[in-house]
Amino acid sequence: MSDAHNDGQIRLVRISNAYLRVTLDIPPLNIFGPANIPQLEEIVGLLESDERVKVVVFDSAVEGFFLTHYDFLAKPEESAKFPVGRTGLRALPDMLARLSRASVVSIASIRGRATGVGSELALACDMRFASREKAVLSQWEVGAALVPGGGPMARLPRLMGRGRALEVLLGADDINGDLAELYGYVNRSIPDSQLDDFVDSFARRIASFDRRAIAETKRLVDLNSLPPDAEIVPEWDAFIASLGRPAAQARLRLLFEQGFHKPGDVESRLGYHVGTLGSTMDIS
């Protein structure tokens, strides 16, 4: 390890000139909010500008959580204050789109819950490897009368087909590592004890290859696989609009009453709990 930058929440470590690791460390639940947008922007900007870097791995330092949902306790104006990004998208989807298109190879090493924003970050990465025993992926939003905002409607059908994408999005349930592999949500589901060594070895292998060959190959794959930005624009707008609807406010209120945003069963089994909301209150 030659040098490290620690911003207190999202840690960037340079393993070598060619290989970086980004560790998500926002305890206790790795909830992503407006305070983290400048941190991620700095990292994405570095990946776009540092011509030495060939591969980056995203992982987590928080037990049980890769990266979970957006911060619903943040004031709306805190999220709205960021300007439109380089792609013309709002700040978060802009960074995810740029990460996908960067010449650097991005890998998500998923241990714990990749829920909402966590799923969307993983989907924006080029590859995803998941702990067989400990990974949980989900787009939970529809269960709370919300619309996902970070690009999963554009990305998931390209990975797993329309029917399975709709099952994930509309079912709003937790997907374990093995099912995620079967559906194409992740590249592989790997025994937890082997995940770190596998991802590190794979990243080092890519880092040993020629950067131009990597970048040109990725660019040509991107032409045939990535959604255009125009497909992602309406997702964030729909997410923001859905936040203000009475059905979403009622369901979020009930989730908060049950322990949302706090360590405990709601956050650990969010897919289960959003599936019970309709039976516990009179909402349509």
Side-chain angles (χ1 to χ4, degrees):
M1 187 183 302
S2 58
D3 64 274
H5 169 68
N6 187 345
D7 59 20
Q9 293 182 314
I10 300 179
R11 302 199 307 268
L12 175 64
V13 177
R14 188 178 292 274
I15 306 299
S16 69
N17 283 336
Y19 172 18
L20 304 183
R21 291 188 78 95
V22 176
T23 299
L24 305 162
D25 191 7
I26 315 168
L29 300 170
N30 262 355
I31 293 174
F32 187 94
N36 308 115
I37 287 176
Q39 300 163 10
L40 187 58
E41 169 63 37
E42 181 180 357
I43 288 167
V44 172
L46 174 66
L47 297 176
E48 293 172 318
S49 62
D50 191 334
E51 295 186 355
R52 301 171 297 172
V53 182
K54 302 176 188 178
V55 60
V56 59
V57 173
F58 288 85
D59 63 11
S60 169
V62 178
E63 180 71 24
F65 297 90
F66 171 73
L67 187 68
T68 187
H69 51 75
Y70 202 72
D71 184 356
F72 290 91
L73 293 175
K75 296 178 180 178
E77 56 268 28
E78 288 297 305
S79 297
K81 70 181 180 182
F82 297 101
V84 170
R86 299 178 195 174
T87 62
L89 298 166
R90 302 304 303 181
L92 178 58
D94 169 78
M95 292 183 290
L96 298 180
R98 287 162 50 208
L99 174 64
S100 294
R101 290 198 175 89
S103 59
V104 174
V105 177
S106 51
I107 299 171
S109 180
I110 305 169
R111 174 180 284 114
R113 298 188 65 88
T115 304
V117 176
S119 169
E120 292 159 0
L121 172 62
L123 289 170
C125 288
D126 299 316
M127 287 170 272
R128 293 152 294 283
F129 299 103
S131 164
R132 180 168 296 160
E133 299 92 341
K134 296 183 178 181
V136 179
L137 295 93
S138 84
Q139 294 290 162
W140 65 284
E141 292 90 342
V142 168
L146 300 169
V147 178
M153 283 82 83
R155 292 187 176 97
L156 277 172
R158 288 170 165 84
L159 285 175
M160 61 178 69
R162 181 174 182 271
R164 285 176 169 171
L166 287 170
E167 180 185 344
V168 170
L169 291 161
L170 300 183
D173 206 352
D174 293 341
I175 306 293
N176 65 28
D178 282 340
L179 185 59
E181 179 186 56
L182 177 66
Y183 275 22
Y185 209 151
V186 301
N187 291 64
R188 300 193 203 184
S189 170
I190 297 168
D192 186 72
S193 62
Q194 301 173 26
L195 177 65
D196 293 340
D197 287 344
F198 173 86
V199 171
D200 183 66
S201 177
F202 188 66
R204 290 178 186 276
R205 177 181 175 87
I206 292 174
S208 73
F209 295 155
D210 176 70
R211 189 181 190 278
R212 183 171 179 179
I214 293 169
E216 290 185 0
T217 300
K218 183 182 169 184
R219 178 181 63 83
L220 293 170
V221 171
D222 289 351
L223 290 175
N224 293 286
S225 60
L226 288 183
D229 294 339
E231 291 186 21
I232 298 175
V233 169
E235 296 193 20
W236 186 259
D237 293 341
F239 167 66
I240 295 300
S242 68
L243 272 174
R245 289 199 286 264
Q249 290 296 310
R251 289 174 183 258
L252 286 170
R253 184 167 57 250
L254 183 56
L255 283 174
F256 273 109
E257 290 171 359
Q258 295 175 344
F260 191 48
H261 267 251
K262 299 177 182 178
D265 197 59
V266 170
E267 290 288 0
S268 296
R269 294 197 302 152
L270 187 56
Y272 167 79
H273 285 279
V274 297
T276 68
L277 293 179
S279 63
T280 56
M281 63 188 305
D282 184 20
I283 51 180
S284 60

